[in-house]
Amino acid sequence: MIEALIGLASGIAVGTGFVAFLTVLGIVPRLMQLSHSEEKLRHYEMAVILGVFFGIYLSFGDFPIEVTIIGLIIWGLLHGIFIGMLAAALTEVLNVFPLLFKRIGVDGFLFTLLMALVLGKIAGSLFQWIIFVR
């Protein structure tokens, strides 16, 4: 019984921290603003909630889910989009790149340097998956 209470309390603490992190970064409001879909707030909320519950099921469920190669590609694409948006939101909130580029004197090349970072990340990820994971 004590282990169940500790597990529940830990889950609530981690879940609360994750929601606070997403709230501070403002990912969902920023997505609604960019896509001009502010009227679909409930859909965004349900997507986040269902995603969390699905993640819980995948972490603790006993039944494996059979996924085709196309499903794995879509799954990986969605994970990449989420991680990319999380990283972009964090850097946008902290203004990391504009401050850094201004400090080192290359603020005129902000877009070019950001694209180099993005393309480098994509190339590195593809290299790792093609060479090491297959």
Side-chain angles (χ1 to χ4, degrees):
M1 184 67 163
I2 292 175
E3 287 179 10
L5 288 174
I6 290 173
L8 180 64
S10 299
I12 290 172
V14 169
T16 304
F18 180 70
V19 169
F21 186 63
L22 288 179
T23 303
V24 167
L25 290 179
I27 291 176
V28 175
R30 184 75 173 133
L31 279 176
M32 290 188 312
Q33 183 183 32
L34 290 174
S35 63
H36 305 293
S37 60
E38 290 87 1
E39 69 278 355
K40 297 191 186 325
L41 175 63
R42 295 285 179 212
H43 296 259
Y44 284 101
E45 290 173 347
M46 288 306 298
V48 170
I49 291 168
L50 290 174
V52 168
F53 281 126
F54 190 64
I56 291 169
Y57 172 75
L58 290 178
S59 296
F60 297 111
D62 290 335
F63 302 106
I65 297 176
E66 298 292 327
V67 181
T68 64
I69 194 72
I70 300 297
L72 287 177
I73 290 171
I74 293 170
W75 187 272
L77 182 66
L78 292 175
H79 274 275
I81 290 170
F82 176 74
I83 298 298
M85 287 182 357
L86 200 60
L90 186 58
T91 57
E92 184 177 322
V93 166
L94 298 177
N95 277 334
V96 171
F97 290 124
L99 292 175
L100 175 68
F101 293 160
K102 190 177 227 175
R103 185 72 62 134
I104 62 176
V106 292
D107 51 339
F109 300 101
L110 179 64
F111 181 75
T112 306
L113 291 170
L114 285 176
M115 288 307 295
L117 285 170
V118 168
L119 294 174
K121 178 67 176 165
I122 291 170
S125 296
L126 287 174
F127 178 79
Q128 187 222 352
W129 278 98
I130 292 170
I131 301 299
F132 295 116
V133 175
R134 83 171 139 126

